[in-house]
Amino acid sequence: MTFEQYPTRLPCGSRVLDLAHTHVMGILNATPDSFSDGGRYTHVDDALRHAAAMVAAGATLIDVGGESTRPGARVVSPLEELERVAPVVEAINRELDVIISVDTSTPAVIRETARLGAGLINDVRSLRRDGALDAAADTGLPVCLMHMLGEPGDMQDDPRYGNVVAEVASFLEGRMAACAAVGIGSERIILDPGFGFAKTLEHNLSLFKHMEALHDLGRPLLVGVSRKSMIGLALKRPVGERLHGGLALAALAMVKGAKILRVHDVAETVDVVRMIAAVNAAE
Ligand code: 9MG
């Protein structure tokens, strides 16, 4: 089945993402407190080595983040976030042939990392921080708009929906309209249902099951479920034992038309993507 109702060539700064295929985005947390790999990549050399390994394993995007979005994580200042992320973006851009996505909501980080070679802005707050829409518009880069209610610190305090799929779609439509108002056309937008952000297990499962409804918005979908609690809760697994559940969801997301899979376990996910692509290419 094909879901693309949009041009498949997405310019990302000096590189191009071909959305005719499903891509694996490797996660690089330059944070001391992320939920599954906190503190391992806070030094530039370690981060670059890890990014290089993910690229060698088949990642076509690397998502660099300097602020943990884990529930209850400490809020960092724009300067601290920039000091964590900027040297990593600069080093990856210098050394590797890969699209650098920057996981940020902070206008100064958006502007500076775009200057240093980032190719995509990935904002879990969908550019709702003051100044973020204008900063993103000025970069000319594509943006990933993700659904979340509230802030990471309070998002899991009893989230409620009448119809989670319809409400996520309507939120994303509203953020696309806000982008359009500052000159970020729909051709620059990637959409993300925001699994694990202000959602119970039941919300996450239902949203995943009915993900195809989001194709009506006419933009490529990014899915991030790697090692998340929806796998832990469904399978009763601690964070270190969620690989198989994550691969099952990666396969299902690809079959449902997701174009970017944001993951920690790149090599394993690339095998999933290549296997499904091989079947899809058969007579
Ligand atoms: C930064 N981050 C953590 N989880 C994420 C997800 O599911 N999607 C996107 N776009 N970013 C995420």
Side-chain angles (χ1 to χ4, degrees), residues 8-154:
T8 53
R9 190 179 178 283
L10 181 68
C12 295
S14 60
R15 297 181 172 87
V16 171
L17 191 63
D18 178 6
L19 294 165
H21 306 289
T22 304
H23 293 266
V24 174
M25 169 188 268
I27 299 171
L28 187 58
N29 287 317
T31 54
D33 56 354
S34 280
F35 79 103
S36 76
D37 57 4
R40 287 169 62 192
Y41 308 114
T42 45
H43 299 291
V44 178
D45 291 349
D46 295 340
L48 184 58
R49 212 171 301 118
H50 185 54
M54 291 196 285
V55 172
T60 43
L61 304 107
I62 300 291
D63 192 39
V64 183
E67 182 196 22
S68 174
T69 49
R70 181 175 58 83
R74 189 171 69 81
V75 176
V76 297
S77 71
L79 183 62
E80 194 176 347
E81 187 187 344
L82 193 59
E83 283 173 351
R84 291 176 182 181
V85 167
V88 176
V89 170
E90 190 176 29
I92 295 175
N93 188 50
R94 190 178 59 239
E95 301 291 337
L96 303 174
D97 184 16
V98 69
I99 295 171
I100 305 167
S101 161
V102 179
D103 156 21
T104 187
S105 305
T106 308
V109 177
I110 292 173
R111 290 184 191 280
E112 180 60 8
T113 56
R115 198 184 65 77
L116 293 171
L120 171 68
I121 299 153
N122 172 31
D123 186 5
V124 298
R125 295 178 180 81
S126 269
L127 304 178
R128 283 179 294 158
R129 265 198 187 151
D130 279 352
L133 275 167
D134 287 331
D138 291 348
T139 65
L141 296 177
V143 290
C144 177
L145 303 175
M146 197 199 77
H147 175 269
M148 172 173 66
L149 300 179
E151 280 287 313
D154 61 15

Side-chain angles (χ1 to χ4, degrees), residues 168-231:
V168 166
S170 153
F171 171 95
L172 293 174
E173 202 169 20
R175 295 316 297 159
M176 285 176 74
C179 283
V182 295
I184 304 173
S186 65
E187 74 286 350
R188 278 169 63 187
I189 290 177
I190 295 168
L191 298 175
D192 183 338
F195 292 106
F197 287 84
K199 294 166 191 85
T200 63
L201 174 62
E202 288 67 32
H203 296 141
N204 285 311
L205 295 176
S206 180
L207 191 55
F208 207 102
K209 181 173 179 180
H210 301 290
M211 190 191 305
E212 288 94 335
L214 299 178
H215 292 305
D216 289 350
L217 297 172
R219 293 306 303 156
L221 298 184
L222 183 154
V223 165
V225 288
S226 182
R227 300 183 187 172
K228 285 191 179 170
S229 68
M230 71 181 280
I231 302 168

